[in-house]
Amino acid sequence: MSGSGNPGPGAAPCRFAHYFVLCGIDAESGLEPDELAGENFDQSPLRRTFKSKVLAHYPQNIEWNPFDQDAVNMLCMPKGLSFRTQADNRDPQLHSFIITREDGSRTYGFVLTFYEEVTSKQICTAMQTLYQMHNAEQYSSVCASSSCSMDSLASSIDEGDATSLAKLQRYNSYDISRDTLYVSKCICLITPLPFMQACKKFLIQLYKAVTSQQPPPLPLESYIHNILYEVPLPPPGRSLKFYGVYEPIICQRPGPNELPLSDYPLREVFELLGLENLVQVFTCVLLEMQILLYSQDYQRLMTVAEGITTLLFPFQWQHVYVPILPASLLHFLDAPVPYLMGLQSKEGTDRSKLELPQEANLCFVDIDNHFIELPEEFPQFPNKLEFIQEISEVLLQFGIPPEGNLHCSDSATKLKNLVLSDLVNDKKNGNIPSNALNMYELLKGNETIARLQALAKRTGVSMEKMAISTPLTEEKDGKLSCEELELRDYKLNVQLREVFANRFTQMFADYEAFVIQAAPDMESWLTNREQMQNFDKASFLSDQPEPYLPFLSHFIETQMFATFIDNKIMSQWEEKDPFLRVFDSRIEKIRLYNVRAPALRTSNYQKCSTLKEAAQSIEQRLMKIDHTAIHPHLLDMKIGQGKYEQGFFPKLQSDVLATGPTNNNRWASRSATTQRRKDRLRQHSEHIGLDNDMREKYMQEARSLGKNLRQPKLSDLSPAVIAQTNWKFVEGLLKECRMKTKRMLVEKMGHEAVELGHGEANITGLEENTLIASLCDLLERIWSHGLQVKQGKSALWSHLLQYQEREEKQEHSAESPVGGGTERRKSDTGITLPTLRVSLIQDMRHVQNMSEIKTDVGRARAWIRLSLEKKLLSQHLKQLLSNQALAKKLYKRYAFLRCEEEREQFLYHLLSLNAVDYFCFTSVFTTIMIPYRSVIIPIKKLSNAITTSNPWICVSGELGDSGVMQIPKNHLEMTFECQNLGKLTTVQIGHDNSGLLAKWLVDCVMVRNEITGHTYKFPCGRWLGKGVDDGSLERILIGELVSSAADEELGKQCRTPPQQKSPTVTRRLSITSLTGRNTRPNTGQIQEGIGEAVNNIVKHFHKPEKERGSLTILLCGENGLVAALEQVFHHGFKSARIFHKNVFIWDFIEKAVAYFETSDHIGDNEEALLLQRSSCKTFCHYVNAINTAPRNIGKDGKFQILVCLGTRDHLLFQWIPLLAECPPITRMYEENALLRDRMTVNSLIRVLQTLQDFNIILEGSLIKGVDV
């Protein structure tokens, strides 16, 4: 339904209504059961559904909105025809529907369904025959149990008399001689804009004309012709009066700078759901989850769906949107894309009986029971409490309780009494008479209010004084007139929408600054849309207040946000999208009023200030009518046709309704501009198409998945079409997988390139988490596509469980899992860790043992995270899918997982994620117990493998440490279990020096996390023992992650850069003067090393806190600050062995301390002297504290502690000049030593001063036992 063709005379797309439709029973074809609606034949014939037909529609067709007969029929009567007898309730019902076209534009339908007596003898006889057959089948079971066979009926009878069998049988029968048969029929208006109130009034007046005792003033054709051809759409910002059968009807349309038209009463949405629930559902919609609305009443489904999508302004829902899902389209719930759908619940059915293909990411909204089921873990809307408080204030002013109203306006749906003034007096629709309105008293016990009060107290707002005005004007008897009620709904609507819109204006006030304008013209932009980034997400997030981040990082990944930004970019070349125009003008307004610096994002809540103006502009339009349409008038009709017969809708004369008057061009020009825009766009796309066939495809794709599936094609439900739709889903899923994995790679690679010094970082830990969460969601959707039978809420986990069951049966006969150290890889030292067997089942068991996770969805997510961290996701899923018998049992032929080629590509995309290191399991499940295995590897050539003393070890990580553990005698390997340590950082190793062979030369310690398989190597290369090396009995080793063999195969080019290592053997040995063979670094390299080390620490503190990694490595690692300073202190050190005894830097430090403690300084001036004295004092204090600490640390270890403490307490730059000027330096350093060069020392001081601003927190293991 595109905007092609020029509008004919009077046919401009700005007519109020496009079609008038009549649906019902086709007397010719009789009773046809509606198999697609899926009704069972146990139902009594009156409860079954039969096929309905479009009996008539006028005009025949409109070029710019072709009539889709099947779709309209299905949406007018989603359940098909229904029959009633005089004993049943036959109240008319109103509902509306929406058809979304391929290009995303919408058409609205408003339907009044009523019951008409069946006059066809044929149909009555057919019904009686059906009953006789049904009763014969049922009779025996009725005798056996009077209640159960009638379950389906009992639900439809008033509970009070459901017990009596006689009554049941009376209800369950139809006797042609005794009963009158009625059948449903509906009249419908199809309009371009959702003028719900006006259409409702028009249809009700039309129906009243059919049922009243007097015929209407004019034939019905006059009124229908009038609304189809002579009533224009009101111009933006104006109101219009036109005429129904009995009274005038007024409608109004917002101006160009107001919020777009929305005519569905939000009052009902809040009454049906309650405020708290509504905000939660609203958040799920913003995050593009799958939303399923559930209610017996079609109009409620429509009201809630339209209400919530209206509140999204300036964003628009971009995916499948079917507020009323016809029974024949239930397979659409299988759609593996975000959707917003409404499903009609049958009377008496329980939610538990509802089989939904996927629930991992589903938000289920049971409207009638005031109940919602939310997906696990999703971020809350920013400032949620203050937001709820602000909305409740608006609701309370209109007398609506924020927790909703369970008995809310049935009147809106069951039009028990069609005289509208009576309708308003129905006690149930929320119009509390004034004397009953002490609203505050009414709500005192309410929990939402209690929470709000607590919040108000904290924020210093007094709630007692909250002004709750009596709802607008009241009549003498405390009832509101119809017009006032309507005006009140309009005002409430606009005020609530203003509050919601204001949140987005505040949150995205400076979004424009982050839009990336990359293309010179529209054509190149559309062509390369896929490759282009349109929004600088990282910079935007770094500007936001911390509490907003969890929500915003998810939200800016959605399709609705991407489309909003696309529209912004497109507005350079074409007319602005109306939503965007209004939104931008509001931001401008904020800027004028608030002269706040845009850089200062604040999480302070700012209330909406435009409520009064918004309500006034609507009130003014409704009070002062701008335009009046032509009155209905007599048409040139044939006499005697369509004779009035009370209770029957007449057969209309189609010739007078087929075309409109020819002279009605006076309002055709109004829409010329929009039409010109459409034509321009069409020509533009045609011109692009002529250039290159691919362009059209790109333009389609640029608008992304989901879009081309916004609404299922309702008209053709052949298997071929269903298959094609499923094929679209499969292609869409594959494309989404490609985009997601690419994004995860680019982000991560970008981040790591930065750590290697190429460019700037652009991913936050938060963003990574968001991307992984959306990958989990995608996998759940893929696994629930085309499921045969649903088990549990997570399709992926249920598939894994069935696989596990089959494998475990076979496993008993096969090998046992690795326990002993049989499969060791021998290394040159002869000792290493046994290899971990790759096992999908083992990884499942790890997850199953985690008592913290309570649900299947949670287990599936934990398993995905674990597999991703182990770089086994693609391999595990390939193994899972290799069991084809199981896949066939679980999935229909069209399912994504059974499309060979796509499945292979999907696994290939996932394989690409192995190129980067994720810690998405370790960093999320921080409290679980994890088994670790450690191995100590000695250097056998130079020392004994096993020491006679009692060795101990303590492993530390970013999240904690294991505590000191004794290593069993004569063992080099041990396993231990402790709470997740996170990424491992240090190992302390030592012994008590007992026994004959106490000295021990350790090469390194290896520690492995037995769940994730991450292995860390802690190089040592030093002796532990008295009288050897620097006499240390314990050492602190710094860890590095060892890459697995699988990574090596992946190719070095895409590997994550290694973390900085702890000092290698050679460096350690060269530092202690064991060997002079190593080439010493020159002065330039040493100075560069210091600069680099300090620079790394500065960079560390400039990163967001959550991504900083380990400071220990930057201080004590291979290129850390300690190592760099050791190089400075070693330069020109007269170390050579003095009397065969090693001399260490620490010896020089101790000499300096001895000098400071004995001598009096002579300074140039008082001030310098005092400063120097205090520096000397602290220096001596620190060195003595390290020397007296109850630890057996060697001399190099002590130097390391001194540097760490000096850095932490910002004292290093004061100590260096002291050491450079003390007399022992001349004895222990040569002339050319760096420490004796005044310029070098000054530059060293300057470099170290840059660390002044940072709050450095040292890991406990580094300074344990040192008390300063």
Side-chain angles (χ1 to χ4, degrees), residues 535-570:
F535 191 70
D536 184 352
K537 295 175 179 168
S539 308
F540 173 75
L541 289 175
S542 66
D543 241 19
Q544 304 308 311
E546 181 81 18
Y548 290 12
L549 292 178
F551 171 80
L552 284 175
S553 61
H554 275 77
F555 179 66
I556 60 176
E557 295 295 333
T558 57
Q559 186 61 48
M560 72 175 84
F561 185 75
T563 305
F564 170 75
I565 299 295
D566 283 357
N567 286 341
K568 179 71 184 170
I569 293 172
M570 296 281 276

Side-chain angles (χ1 to χ4, degrees), residues 73 124 257 311 654 1110:
N73 178 34
C124 294
N257 284 324
L311 296 174
S654 50
S1110 167

Side-chain angles (χ1 to χ4, degrees), residues 469-635:
S469 56
T470 314
L472 298 145
T473 48
E474 311 228 345
E475 291 186 2
K476 295 179 186 64
D477 58 353
K479 304 275 165 52
L480 294 168
S481 75
C482 175
E483 286 74 32
E484 286 169 327
L485 181 69
E486 206 170 294
L487 173 63
R488 187 182 133 193
D489 268 358
Y490 274 130
K491 283 174 144 183
L492 175 63
N493 257 26
V494 76
Q495 293 199 2
L496 287 169
R497 291 173 66 203
E498 286 288 343
V499 173
F500 277 79
N502 177 54
R503 286 312 316 122
F504 290 121
T505 344
Q506 300 288 350
M507 258 190 267
F508 293 97
D510 31 25
Y511 83 96
E512 235 176 297
F514 303 96
V515 174
I516 300 171
Q517 305 275 13
D521 54 65
M522 181 146 124
E523 216 169 299
S524 64
W525 184 76
L526 284 171
T527 315
N528 302 307
R529 172 70 196 89
E530 282 237 314
Q531 286 75 42
M532 286 186 178
Q533 279 283 347
N534 65 358
F535 191 70
D536 184 352
K537 295 175 179 168
S539 308
F540 173 75
L541 289 175
S542 66
D543 241 19
Q544 304 308 311
E546 181 81 18
Y548 290 12
L549 292 178
F551 171 80
L552 284 175
S553 61
H554 275 77
F555 179 66
I556 60 176
E557 295 295 333
T558 57
Q559 186 61 48
M560 72 175 84
F561 185 75
T563 305
F564 170 75
I565 299 295
D566 283 357
N567 286 341
K568 179 71 184 170
I569 293 172
M570 296 281 276
S571 67
Q572 310 171 79
W573 306 296
E574 57 171 46
E575 205 179 323
K576 245 190 199 178
D577 171 78
F579 278 49
L580 185 68
R581 194 187 61 239
V582 177
F583 188 66
D584 281 354
S585 71
R586 288 172 167 238
I587 289 178
E588 278 306 302
K589 218 167 170 181
I590 283 196
R591 291 225 172 102
L592 291 174
Y593 289 132
N594 275 10
V595 206
R596 73 175 173 89
L600 294 175
R601 297 297 316 193
T602 153
S603 58
N604 287 349
Y605 190 83
Q606 288 170 306
K607 284 170 97 170
C608 181
S609 53
T610 51
L611 296 183
K612 282 213 169 60
E613 305 154 38
Q616 276 164 358
S617 54
I618 283 198
E619 194 164 3
Q620 281 161 0
R621 276 201 293 276
L622 288 175
M623 295 303 174
K624 183 182 142 293
I625 306 301
D626 298 304
H627 302 278
T628 305
I630 303 174
H631 276 263
H633 48 87
L634 271 171
L635 300 169

Side-chain angles (χ1 to χ4, degrees), residues 975-1137:
T975 51
F976 60 93
E977 196 174 71
C978 67
Q979 190 170 316
N980 186 353
L981 299 174
K983 290 184 196 170
L984 300 188
T985 50
T986 63
V987 158
Q988 298 160 66
I989 182 174
H991 62 74
D992 62 0
N993 207 39
S994 60
L996 293 168
L997 303 168
K999 295 172 182 153
W1000 201 20
L1001 180 56
V1002 176
D1003 177 39
C1004 66
V1005 178
M1006 308 285 286
V1007 182
R1008 180 173 66 207
N1009 177 325
E1010 295 290 272
I1011 291 184
T1012 64
H1014 282 315
T1015 307
Y1016 294 83
K1017 183 179 183 180
F1018 297 86
C1020 176
R1022 307 283 299 263
W1023 286 91
L1024 285 164
K1026 283 275 185 258
V1028 62
D1029 200 334
D1030 64 350
S1032 187
L1033 289 185
E1034 63 176 273
R1035 293 197 182 279
I1036 301 164
L1037 311 178
I1038 311 295
E1040 62 189 81
L1041 188 63
V1042 181
S1043 59
S1044 65
D1047 290 358
E1048 304 297 337
E1049 288 161 29
L1050 242 166
K1052 298 273 191 291
Q1053 75 284 354
C1054 63
R1055 266 237 28 254
T1056 307
Q1059 278 188 300
Q1060 289 186 309
K1061 303 170 180 146
S1062 73
T1064 55
V1065 180
T1066 49
R1067 180 180 76 78
R1068 279 301 194 191
L1069 291 178
S1070 71
I1071 284 173
T1072 65
S1073 42
L1074 284 176
T1075 164
R1077 285 195 301 272
N1078 286 59
T1079 52
R1080 294 277 171 95
N1082 62 33
T1083 54
Q1085 288 167 331
I1086 292 174
Q1087 284 173 291
E1088 205 174 297
I1090 283 277
E1092 186 82 3
V1094 170
N1095 207 10
N1096 284 337
I1097 295 173
V1098 173
K1099 273 193 201 157
H1100 167 91
F1101 283 101
H1102 279 296
K1103 286 184 196 169
E1105 202 166 328
K1106 287 180 183 140
E1107 312 150 38
R1108 287 181 179 169
S1110 167
L1111 185 58
T1112 306
I1113 288 167
L1114 300 181
L1115 288 170
C1116 309
E1118 185 168 14
N1119 300 317
L1121 184 61
V1122 174
L1125 281 170
E1126 276 180 348
Q1127 298 285 13
V1128 172
F1129 276 89
H1130 271 290
H1131 188 262
F1133 193 45
K1134 297 179 181 171
S1135 64
R1137 300 188 169 200

Side-chain angles (χ1 to χ4, degrees), residues 389-413:
Q389 158 89 10
E390 185 179 5
I391 302 166
S392 4
E393 285 172 16
V394 175
L395 290 172
L396 288 168
Q397 285 189 340
F398 286 83
I400 293 161
E403 77 284 13
N405 179 355
L406 264 171
H407 315 289
C408 77
S409 53
D410 289 341
S411 52
T413 45

Side-chain angles (χ1 to χ4, degrees), residues 308-322:
I308 287 181
T309 48
T310 296
L311 296 174
L312 294 174
F313 172 90
F315 307 103
Q316 289 159 289
W317 179 255
Q318 297 297 324
H319 298 276
V320 177
Y321 181 65
V322 191

